[in-house]
Amino acid sequence: DTAVSQTPKYLVTQMGNDKSIKCEQNLGHDTMYWYKQDSKKFLKIMFSYNNKELIINETVPNRFSPKSPDKAHLNLHINSLELGDSAVYFCASSQELAILPSYEQYFGPGTRLTVT
Amino acid sequence: AQKITQTQPGMFVQEKEAVTLDCTYDTSDPSYGLFWYKQPSSGEMIFLIYQGSYDQQNATEGRYSLNFQKARKSANLVISASQLGDSAMYFCAMREGRGYSTLTFGKGTMLLVSP
């Protein structure tokens, strides 16, 4: 059973289009994340949601809008796609107890977005 | 300043040998966690090992161990008896403090294991 799943795995689209990436976790975790991995493999946090509430937004352009309909889902919608948005987007989840920073994050398989 | 530094862009090792991947970190928070993830060519991120700042002993998970030197702020990953399947990108990451925080990743080290 897949713990964190993302769809689609590959997404090729043209500049200016709007697209969405979906993420679901079946681990019962209360916190979910979106990361962006650029062409140099550098991973950077974009957003973090805890119990459907946005708690971290790392200066991401407002063309990116995450939405969490429930604890198990965190979708990423991107408006007016640009060439620089081409990257691999990872969803992740963890169980946060806000006590110690010891809980690993489980990552989805990634979505490779190519903007042409 | 970078919070996580991995100074080895690439490492080569022969099968069955041990290899150490370096990671240094920067934080003023006394409570933090250090993680290592593996990313094979298939792209998924696989959690390997965790070390907490208050842990007295170095973490071990099978062939993986973490050489934690708190005073030096280093958290090197040691892979014993390398296997061909260990060829991958390895990322060191840190979470700081108590409460909600996210992982800050290093730039990664590409490990190639040769027969």
Side-chain angles (χ1 to χ4, degrees):
Chain A
D1 286 340
T2 306
V4 182
S5 59
Q6 292 178 231
T7 52
K9 191 163 171 61
Y10 300 96
L11 187 51
V12 181
T13 188
Q14 290 185 323
M15 279 175 58
N17 285 348
D18 303 339
K19 290 293 178 186
S20 291
I21 307 171
K22 294 187 176 182
C23 177
E24 177 181 2
Q25 54 96 2
N26 62 7
L27 298 166
H29 289 163
D30 62 1
T31 305
M32 296 183 73
Y33 312 82
W34 278 110
Y35 287 87
K36 179 180 180 180
Q37 187 174 41
D38 63 23
S39 57
K40 294 185 178 178
K41 299 285 192 180
F42 185 58
L43 266 159
K44 195 171 183 327
I45 183 70
M46 299 173 70
F47 302 102
S48 174
Y49 268 74
N50 175 264
N51 283 317
K52 302 193 300 174
E53 283 192 31
L54 179 67
I55 52 173
I56 291 174
N57 179 344
E58 286 288 325
T59 60
V60 177
N62 56 16
R63 297 183 296 103
F64 290 79
S65 51
K67 283 189 174 48
S68 182
D70 56 57
K71 257 179 27 169
H73 296 84
L74 179 62
N75 303 324
L76 183 65
H77 188 76
I78 316 171
N79 288 330
S80 304
L81 277 154
E82 300 177 358
L83 293 176
D85 298 332
S86 294
V88 180
Y89 292 84
F90 284 98
C91 176
S93 74
S94 67
Q95 184 60 37
E96 298 297 315
L97 292 183
I99 298 175
L100 289 173
S102 62
Y103 293 93
E104 69 265 27
Q105 294 177 14
Y106 292 83
F107 282 75
T111 295
R112 183 174 293 276
L113 171 65
T114 304
V115 182
T116 61
Chain B
Q2 284 186 40
K3 291 204 169 189
I4 294 286
T5 302
Q6 294 181 254
T7 56
Q8 306 152 315
M11 288 283 285
F12 292 90
V13 68
Q14 274 203 309
E15 212 177 356
K16 298 179 186 170
E17 290 185 350
V19 62
T20 298
L21 307 183
D22 294 342
C23 173
T24 57
Y25 59 92
D26 182 26
T27 181
S28 57
D29 199 308
S31 177
Y32 53 90
L34 297 155
F35 302 78
W36 278 92
Y37 282 84
K38 172 184 178 182
Q39 187 177 38
S41 57
S42 50
E44 70 269 31
M45 294 287 289
I46 303 166
F47 166 72
L48 295 178
I49 196 166
Y50 163 79
Q51 180 84 43
S53 58
Y54 295 118
D55 293 343
Q56 296 297 312
Q57 292 189 325
N58 287 344
T60 59
E61 288 286 347
R63 293 186 299 111
Y64 304 109
S65 60
L66 203 151
N67 184 358
F68 182 45
Q69 298 188 42
K70 197 169 180 176
R72 291 186 174 186
K73 293 191 174 178
S74 75
N76 298 339
L77 177 71
V78 180
I79 306 175
S80 63
S82 298
Q83 301 172 356
L84 295 178
D86 293 335
S87 293
M89 194 76 161
Y90 288 80
F91 292 97
C92 180
M94 176 174 66
R95 294 187 65 187
E96 296 173 273
R98 300 166 189 264
Y100 302 112
S101 63
T102 63
L103 288 172
T104 301
F105 283 86
K107 292 186 176 180
T109 295
M110 175 64 79
L111 175 67
L112 289 177
V113 182
S114 60

Coordinates of all heavy atoms in Angstrom, one line a residue, chain A residues 9 30-31 33 35 37 40-45 47-48 50-51 55-56 58 88 90 94 96-110, chain B residues 31-35 37 39-47 50-54 89 91 95-108 110:
Chain A
K9 N 2.4 11.6 -12.1 CA 3.9 11.4 -12.0 C 4.6 12.3 -12.9 O 5.7 12.8 -12.6 CB 4.3 9.9 -12.2 CG 5.7 9.6 -11.8 CD 5.9 8.1 -11.6 CE 7.4 7.8 -11.4 NZ 7.9 8.4 -10.2
D30 N -0.8 14.2 10.5 CA -1.5 15.4 10.6 C -0.9 16.6 9.9 O -1.4 17.7 9.8 CB -1.8 15.8 12.1 CG -0.5 16.1 12.9 OD1 0.6 16.0 12.3 OD2 -0.6 16.3 14.1
T31 N 0.3 16.4 9.4 CA 1.0 17.5 8.7 C 1.5 17.0 7.3 O 2.0 15.9 7.2 CB 2.2 17.9 9.6 OG1 1.8 18.2 10.9 CG2 2.9 19.1 9.0
Y33 N 3.3 18.5 3.4 CA 4.3 19.5 2.9 C 4.4 19.4 1.4 O 4.1 18.3 0.8 CB 5.7 19.2 3.4 CG 5.8 18.9 4.9 CD1 5.5 17.7 5.5 CD2 6.2 19.9 5.8 CE1 5.7 17.4 6.8 CE2 6.4 19.7 7.1 CZ 6.1 18.5 7.6 OH 6.2 18.2 9.0
Y35 N 7.5 20.2 -1.4 CA 8.8 20.6 -1.7 C 9.0 20.7 -3.2 O 8.4 20.0 -3.9 CB 9.8 19.5 -1.1 CG 10.0 19.5 0.4 CD1 9.1 18.7 1.1 CD2 11.0 20.1 1.0 CE1 9.2 18.6 2.5 CE2 11.1 20.1 2.4 CZ 10.3 19.3 3.1 OH 10.4 19.2 4.5
Q37 N 12.1 20.4 -6.0 CA 13.5 20.0 -6.3 C 13.9 20.5 -7.7 O 13.3 20.1 -8.7 CB 13.7 18.4 -6.2 CG 15.2 18.0 -6.3 CD 15.4 16.5 -6.1 OE1 14.6 15.7 -6.6 NE2 16.4 16.2 -5.4
K40 N 19.2 21.1 -10.2 CA 20.5 20.8 -9.5 C 20.2 19.9 -8.3 O 21.1 19.7 -7.5 CB 21.2 22.0 -9.1 CG 21.7 22.8 -10.3 CD 22.5 24.0 -9.8 CE 23.0 24.8 -11.1 NZ 23.8 26.0 -10.7
K41 N 19.0 19.4 -8.2 CA 18.7 18.4 -7.2 C 18.5 19.1 -5.8 O 18.3 18.4 -4.8 CB 19.7 17.3 -7.0 CG 19.8 16.4 -8.3 CD 18.7 15.5 -8.4 CE 18.9 14.5 -9.5 NZ 17.7 13.6 -9.6
F42 N 18.5 20.4 -5.7 CA 18.3 21.0 -4.5 C 16.8 21.0 -4.1 O 15.9 21.4 -4.8 CB 18.8 22.5 -4.5 CG 18.8 23.2 -3.2 CD1 19.5 22.7 -2.1 CD2 18.0 24.3 -3.0 CE1 19.4 23.3 -0.9 CE2 18.0 25.0 -1.8 CZ 18.7 24.5 -0.7
L43 N 16.6 20.6 -2.8 CA 15.2 20.4 -2.3 C 14.9 21.6 -1.4 O 15.6 21.9 -0.4 CB 15.1 19.2 -1.5 CG 14.6 17.9 -2.2 CD1 15.0 16.7 -1.4 CD2 13.1 18.0 -2.3
K44 N 13.8 22.2 -1.6 CA 13.4 23.4 -0.8 C 11.9 23.3 -0.4 O 11.1 23.0 -1.3 CB 13.7 24.7 -1.6 CG 13.7 25.9 -0.7 CD 14.2 27.1 -1.5 CE 14.3 28.4 -0.8 NZ 13.5 28.8 0.2
I45 N 11.6 23.6 0.8 CA 10.2 23.6 1.3 C 9.5 24.7 0.6 O 10.0 25.8 0.4 CB 10.2 23.7 2.8 CG1 8.7 23.6 3.3 CG2 10.8 25.0 3.3 CD1 8.1 22.3 3.2
F47 N 5.5 24.7 1.2 CA 4.4 24.9 2.1 C 4.4 23.8 3.1 O 4.8 22.7 2.8 CB 3.1 24.9 1.3 CG 2.9 25.9 0.2 CD1 3.1 25.6 -1.1 CD2 2.6 27.2 0.6 CE1 2.9 26.5 -2.1 CE2 2.5 28.2 -0.4 CZ 2.6 27.8 -1.8
S48 N 3.7 24.1 4.2 CA 3.4 23.1 5.2 C 2.0 23.3 5.8 O 1.7 24.4 6.1 CB 4.5 23.1 6.3 OG 4.1 22.2 7.4
N50 N -0.8 21.8 8.7 CA -1.1 21.0 9.8 C -2.6 21.0 10.1 O -3.2 22.1 10.3 CB -0.3 21.5 11.1 CG -0.7 20.7 12.3 OD1 -1.5 21.1 13.1 ND2 0.0 19.5 12.5
N51 N -3.2 19.8 10.1 CA -4.6 19.7 10.2 C -5.4 20.7 9.4 O -6.2 21.4 9.8 CB -5.0 19.9 11.7 CG -4.7 18.7 12.5 OD1 -5.0 17.6 12.1 ND2 -4.1 18.9 13.7
I55 N 0.7 26.5 7.8 CA 1.5 26.9 8.9 C 2.9 27.4 8.4 O 3.5 28.2 9.0 CB 1.8 25.8 9.9 CG1 2.3 24.5 9.3 CG2 0.5 25.6 10.7 CD1 2.7 23.5 10.3
I56 N 3.3 27.0 7.2 CA 4.6 27.5 6.7 C 4.3 27.8 5.2 O 3.8 27.0 4.4 CB 5.7 26.5 6.8 CG1 6.1 26.4 8.3 CG2 6.9 26.9 6.0 CD1 7.1 25.3 8.6
E58 N 6.9 29.4 2.4 CA 8.3 29.9 2.2 C 8.4 30.8 1.0 O 9.0 30.4 0.0 CB 9.2 28.8 2.1 CG 9.5 28.1 3.4 CD 10.3 28.9 4.4 OE1 11.2 29.6 3.9 OE2 10.0 28.8 5.6
V88 N 10.9 18.9 -10.0 CA 10.2 17.8 -9.4 C 9.5 18.3 -8.1 O 10.2 18.9 -7.3 CB 11.1 16.6 -9.2 CG1 10.3 15.5 -8.5 CG2 11.8 16.2 -10.4
F90 N 7.7 17.4 -4.7 CA 7.4 16.3 -3.8 C 6.4 16.7 -2.7 O 6.6 17.8 -2.1 CB 8.7 15.9 -3.1 CG 9.7 15.1 -3.9 CD1 10.8 15.7 -4.5 CD2 9.6 13.7 -4.0 CE1 11.6 15.0 -5.3 CE2 10.4 13.0 -4.8 CZ 11.5 13.6 -5.4
S94 N 4.1 13.9 7.8 CA 4.7 13.5 9.1 C 3.7 13.7 10.2 O 2.7 14.4 10.0 CB 6.0 14.3 9.4 OG 5.7 15.6 9.7
E96 N 3.2 15.3 13.6 CA 3.9 16.3 14.4 C 3.3 16.3 15.8 O 2.1 16.4 16.0 CB 3.6 17.7 13.8 CG 4.2 17.9 12.4 CD 5.7 17.7 12.4 OE1 6.3 18.3 13.3 OE2 6.3 17.0 11.6
L97 N 4.2 16.2 16.8 CA 3.7 16.3 18.2 C 4.2 17.6 18.8 O 3.9 17.9 19.9 CB 4.2 15.2 19.0 CG 3.6 13.8 18.6 CD1 4.2 12.7 19.5 CD2 2.1 13.9 18.7
A98 N 4.9 18.4 18.0 CA 5.3 19.8 18.5 C 6.1 19.6 19.8 O 6.1 20.5 20.6 CB 4.2 20.7 18.6
I99 N 6.8 18.5 19.9 CA 7.6 18.3 21.1 C 9.1 18.2 20.8 O 9.9 19.0 21.3 CB 7.1 17.0 21.9 CG1 5.7 17.2 22.3 CG2 8.0 16.8 23.1 CD1 5.1 15.9 22.9
L100 N 9.4 17.3 19.9 CA 10.8 17.2 19.5 C 10.8 17.0 18.0 O 9.9 16.5 17.4 CB 11.4 15.9 20.1 CG 11.7 15.9 21.6 CD1 12.1 14.6 22.1 CD2 12.7 17.0 22.0
P101 N 11.9 17.5 17.4 CA 12.0 17.5 15.9 C 12.4 16.1 15.4 O 13.2 16.0 14.6 CB 13.0 18.5 15.6 CG 13.9 18.5 16.8 CD 13.1 18.1 18.0
S102 N 11.8 15.0 15.9 CA 12.3 13.7 15.6 C 11.5 12.9 14.6 O 11.9 11.8 14.3 CB 12.3 12.9 16.9 OG 11.0 12.7 17.4
Y103 N 10.4 13.5 14.1 CA 9.6 12.7 13.2 C 10.0 12.9 11.8 O 9.9 14.0 11.3 CB 8.1 13.0 13.5 CG 7.7 12.6 14.8 CD1 7.8 13.4 15.9 CD2 7.3 11.3 15.1 CE1 7.4 13.0 17.2 CE2 7.0 10.8 16.3 CZ 7.0 11.7 17.4 OH 6.7 11.2 18.6
E104 N 10.4 11.8 11.2 CA 10.8 11.9 9.8 C 9.6 12.1 8.9 O 8.5 11.8 9.3 CB 11.5 10.6 9.3 CG 10.6 9.3 9.2 CD 10.7 8.5 10.5 OE1 10.9 9.1 11.6 OE2 10.4 7.3 10.4
Q105 N 9.9 12.7 7.8 CA 8.9 13.0 6.8 C 8.9 11.9 5.8 O 10.0 11.4 5.3 CB 9.1 14.3 6.2 CG 8.9 15.4 7.2 CD 9.2 16.8 6.6 OE1 9.3 17.0 5.4 NE2 9.3 17.8 7.5
Y106 N 7.7 11.4 5.4 CA 7.6 10.4 4.4 C 7.2 11.1 3.1 O 6.3 11.9 3.0 CB 6.5 9.4 4.8 CG 6.9 8.5 5.9 CD1 6.7 9.0 7.2 CD2 7.4 7.3 5.8 CE1 7.0 8.3 8.3 CE2 7.7 6.5 6.9 CZ 7.5 7.0 8.2 OH 7.9 6.2 9.3
F107 N 8.0 10.8 2.1 CA 7.8 11.5 0.8 C 7.0 10.7 -0.2 O 7.1 9.4 -0.2 CB 9.2 11.8 0.2 CG 9.9 13.0 0.8 CD1 10.5 12.9 2.1 CD2 10.0 14.2 0.2 CE1 11.1 13.9 2.7 CE2 10.6 15.3 0.8 CZ 11.2 15.2 2.0
G108 N 6.3 11.4 -1.0 CA 5.7 10.8 -2.2 C 6.7 10.6 -3.3 O 7.9 10.9 -3.1
P109 N 6.3 9.9 -4.4 CA 7.2 9.6 -5.5 C 7.7 10.8 -6.3 O 8.6 10.7 -7.1 CB 6.4 8.6 -6.3 CG 5.0 9.0 -6.1 CD 4.9 9.4 -4.7
G110 N 7.0 11.9 -6.1 CA 7.4 13.1 -6.9 C 6.6 13.3 -8.2 O 6.1 12.3 -8.7
Chain B
S31 N 17.7 22.3 20.5 CA 16.9 21.1 20.1 C 16.8 21.0 18.6 O 16.2 21.9 18.0 CB 15.5 21.2 20.7 OG 14.7 20.2 20.4
Y32 N 17.3 20.0 18.0 CA 17.2 19.8 16.6 C 17.4 18.3 16.2 O 17.8 17.5 17.1 CB 18.3 20.6 15.8 CG 19.7 20.4 16.3 CD1 20.5 19.4 15.8 CD2 20.3 21.1 17.4 CE1 21.8 19.1 16.2 CE2 21.6 20.9 17.8 CZ 22.3 19.9 17.2 OH 23.6 19.7 17.7
G33 N 17.0 18.0 15.0 CA 17.1 16.6 14.6 C 17.8 16.6 13.2 O 17.7 17.5 12.4
L34 N 18.6 15.6 13.0 CA 19.4 15.4 11.8 C 18.9 14.2 11.1 O 18.7 13.1 11.7 CB 20.9 15.4 12.1 CG 21.4 16.7 12.7 CD1 22.6 16.4 13.5 CD2 21.6 17.7 11.6
F35 N 18.7 14.3 9.8 CA 18.2 13.2 9.0 C 19.0 12.9 7.8 O 19.6 13.9 7.2 CB 16.8 13.5 8.5 CG 15.8 13.8 9.6 CD1 15.7 15.1 10.2 CD2 14.8 12.9 10.0 CE1 14.8 15.4 11.2 CE2 13.9 13.2 11.0 CZ 13.9 14.4 11.6
Y37 N 18.6 11.1 4.0 CA 17.7 10.5 3.0 C 18.5 10.1 1.8 O 19.5 10.7 1.4 CB 16.6 11.6 2.5 CG 15.5 11.8 3.4 CD1 15.6 12.7 4.5 CD2 14.3 11.2 3.3 CE1 14.6 12.9 5.4 CE2 13.2 11.4 4.2 CZ 13.4 12.3 5.2 OH 12.3 12.5 6.1
Q39 N 18.2 9.2 -2.4 CA 17.3 9.3 -3.6 C 18.0 8.6 -4.7 O 18.9 9.0 -5.3 CB 17.2 10.8 -3.9 CG 16.2 11.0 -5.1 CD 16.0 12.5 -5.4 OE1 16.9 13.3 -5.4 NE2 14.7 12.9 -5.7
P40 N 17.5 7.4 -5.0 CA 18.0 6.6 -6.1 C 17.6 7.3 -7.4 O 16.8 8.2 -7.5 CB 17.4 5.2 -5.9 CG 16.2 5.4 -5.1 CD 16.5 6.7 -4.3
S41 N 18.1 6.7 -8.5 CA 17.8 7.3 -9.9 C 16.3 7.3 -10.2 O 15.9 8.0 -11.0 CB 18.6 6.6 -10.9 OG 18.3 5.2 -10.9
S42 N 15.6 6.4 -9.5 CA 14.1 6.3 -9.7 C 13.4 7.6 -9.2 O 12.3 7.8 -9.5 CB 13.6 5.1 -9.2 OG 14.0 4.9 -7.8
G43 N 14.1 8.3 -8.3 CA 13.6 9.6 -7.9 C 12.9 9.7 -6.5 O 12.8 10.8 -6.0
E44 N 12.6 8.6 -5.9 CA 11.9 8.7 -4.6 C 12.8 9.0 -3.5 O 14.0 8.8 -3.6 CB 11.1 7.4 -4.3 CG 12.0 6.2 -3.9 CD 12.4 5.3 -5.1 OE1 12.5 5.9 -6.2 OE2 12.6 4.1 -4.9
M45 N 12.3 9.6 -2.5 CA 13.1 10.0 -1.3 C 12.9 9.0 -0.2 O 11.8 8.7 0.3 CB 12.7 11.4 -0.8 CG 13.0 12.5 -1.7 SD 14.7 12.9 -1.8 CE 15.0 13.6 -0.2
I46 N 14.0 8.3 0.2 CA 13.9 7.2 1.2 C 14.6 7.7 2.5 O 15.8 8.0 2.5 CB 14.6 5.9 0.6 CG1 13.9 5.6 -0.7 CG2 14.5 4.8 1.7 CD1 14.7 4.5 -1.5
F47 N 13.9 7.6 3.6 CA 14.4 8.0 4.9 C 15.4 6.9 5.3 O 15.1 5.7 5.2 CB 13.3 8.1 5.9 CG 13.8 8.2 7.3 CD1 14.5 9.2 7.8 CD2 13.6 7.1 8.2 CE1 15.0 9.3 9.1 CE2 14.1 7.1 9.5 CZ 14.7 8.2 10.0
Y50 N 18.0 8.8 11.6 CA 17.8 10.0 12.4 C 18.7 10.1 13.6 O 18.9 9.1 14.3 CB 16.3 10.1 12.8 CG 16.0 11.1 13.9 CD1 15.9 12.4 13.6 CD2 16.0 10.7 15.3 CE1 15.6 13.3 14.6 CE2 15.7 11.6 16.2 CZ 15.6 12.9 15.9 OH 15.3 13.9 16.9
Q51 N 19.1 11.4 13.9 CA 19.9 11.6 15.1 C 19.3 12.8 15.8 O 19.2 13.9 15.2 CB 21.4 11.8 14.8 CG 22.3 12.1 16.0 CD 22.7 10.9 16.7 OE1 23.1 9.9 16.0 NE2 22.7 10.9 18.0
G52 N 19.0 12.7 17.1 CA 18.5 13.9 17.8 C 19.6 14.6 18.5 O 20.6 13.9 18.9
S53 N 19.5 15.9 18.7 CA 20.5 16.6 19.4 C 20.8 16.2 20.8 O 21.9 16.4 21.3 CB 20.2 18.1 19.3 OG 19.0 18.4 20.0
Y54 N 19.8 15.6 21.4 CA 20.0 15.2 22.8 C 20.4 13.7 22.9 O 20.6 13.2 24.1 CB 18.7 15.5 23.6 CG 18.4 16.9 23.7 CD1 17.2 17.5 23.2 CD2 19.3 17.8 24.4 CE1 16.9 18.8 23.3 CE2 19.0 19.2 24.5 CZ 17.8 19.7 23.9 OH 17.5 21.0 24.0
M89 N 21.8 9.5 -4.8 CA 22.1 10.8 -4.2 C 21.7 10.7 -2.7 O 20.7 10.1 -2.4 CB 21.2 11.8 -4.9 CG 21.6 13.2 -4.6 SD 23.0 13.7 -5.6 CE 22.9 15.4 -5.5
F91 N 21.1 12.9 0.8 CA 20.8 14.2 1.4 C 20.8 14.2 2.9 O 20.2 13.3 3.5 CB 19.5 14.7 0.9 CG 19.4 15.0 -0.5 CD1 18.8 14.1 -1.4 CD2 19.8 16.2 -1.0 CE1 18.7 14.3 -2.8 CE2 19.7 16.5 -2.4 CZ 19.2 15.5 -3.3
R95 N 16.0 19.5 11.1 CA 14.8 20.2 11.6 C 15.2 20.9 12.9 O 15.9 20.3 13.8 CB 13.7 19.3 11.9 CG 13.1 18.6 10.7 CD 11.9 17.9 11.0 NE 10.8 18.8 11.5 CZ 9.7 18.3 12.0 NH1 9.4 17.0 12.1 NH2 8.7 19.1 12.3
E96 N 14.8 22.1 13.1 CA 15.3 22.9 14.3 C 14.1 23.1 15.2 O 13.0 23.3 14.8 CB 15.8 24.2 13.9 CG 17.1 24.2 13.1 CD 17.5 25.5 12.5 OE1 17.0 25.9 11.5 OE2 18.3 26.2 13.2
G97 N 14.4 23.1 16.5 CA 13.5 23.5 17.5 C 12.3 22.6 17.8 O 12.1 21.6 17.2
R98 N 11.5 23.1 18.7 CA 10.3 22.4 19.0 C 9.2 23.1 18.3 O 9.3 24.3 17.9 CB 10.1 22.5 20.5 CG 11.2 21.8 21.3 CD 11.2 22.1 22.8 NE 12.4 21.6 23.4 CZ 12.4 20.5 24.1 NH1 11.4 19.7 24.1 NH2 13.6 20.1 24.6
G99 N 8.1 22.5 18.1 CA 7.0 23.1 17.3 C 7.2 22.8 15.9 O 8.1 22.0 15.5
Y100 N 6.4 23.4 15.1 CA 6.3 23.1 13.7 C 7.5 23.7 13.0 O 7.8 24.8 13.1 CB 5.0 23.6 13.1 CG 3.8 23.1 13.7 CD1 3.0 23.9 14.5 CD2 3.5 21.7 13.7 CE1 1.9 23.3 15.2 CE2 2.4 21.2 14.3 CZ 1.6 22.0 15.1 OH 0.5 21.5 15.7
S101 N 8.2 22.8 12.3 CA 9.3 23.2 11.5 C 9.5 22.3 10.3 O 8.9 21.2 10.4 CB 10.6 23.3 12.3 OG 11.0 22.1 12.8
T102 N 10.2 22.7 9.4 CA 10.4 21.8 8.2 C 11.8 21.4 8.1 O 12.7 21.8 8.8 CB 9.9 22.5 6.9 OG1 10.8 23.6 6.7 CG2 8.5 22.9 7.0
L103 N 12.1 20.5 7.1 CA 13.4 20.0 6.9 C 14.1 21.0 6.0 O 13.6 21.5 5.0 CB 13.4 18.7 6.1 CG 12.9 17.5 7.0 CD1 12.8 16.3 6.0 CD2 13.9 17.1 8.0
T104 N 15.4 21.3 6.4 CA 16.3 22.1 5.5 C 17.3 21.1 5.0 O 18.0 20.4 5.8 CB 17.0 23.2 6.3 OG1 16.0 24.1 6.8 CG2 17.9 24.0 5.4
F105 N 17.4 21.0 3.7 CA 18.3 20.0 3.1 C 19.6 20.6 2.7 O 19.7 21.8 2.3 CB 17.6 19.5 1.8 CG 16.5 18.5 2.1 CD1 15.2 18.9 2.4 CD2 16.8 17.1 2.1 CE1 14.2 18.0 2.6 CE2 15.8 16.2 2.4 CZ 14.5 16.6 2.7
G106 N 20.6 19.7 2.7 CA 21.9 20.0 2.0 C 21.8 19.8 0.5 O 20.7 19.4 0.0
K107 N 22.9 20.1 -0.2 CA 22.8 20.0 -1.7 C 23.0 18.5 -2.2 O 22.9 18.3 -3.4 CB 23.9 20.9 -2.3 CG 23.5 22.3 -2.1 CD 24.5 23.3 -2.8 CE 24.0 24.7 -2.6 NZ 24.9 25.7 -3.3
G108 N 23.4 17.7 -1.3 CA 23.4 16.3 -1.6 C 24.8 15.8 -2.0 O 25.7 16.6 -2.5
M110 N 26.4 12.6 -4.4 CA 26.1 11.5 -5.3 C 27.1 10.4 -5.0 O 28.3 10.6 -5.2 CB 26.2 11.9 -6.8 CG 26.1 10.8 -7.8 SD 24.5 10.0 -7.7 CE 23.5 11.2 -8.7

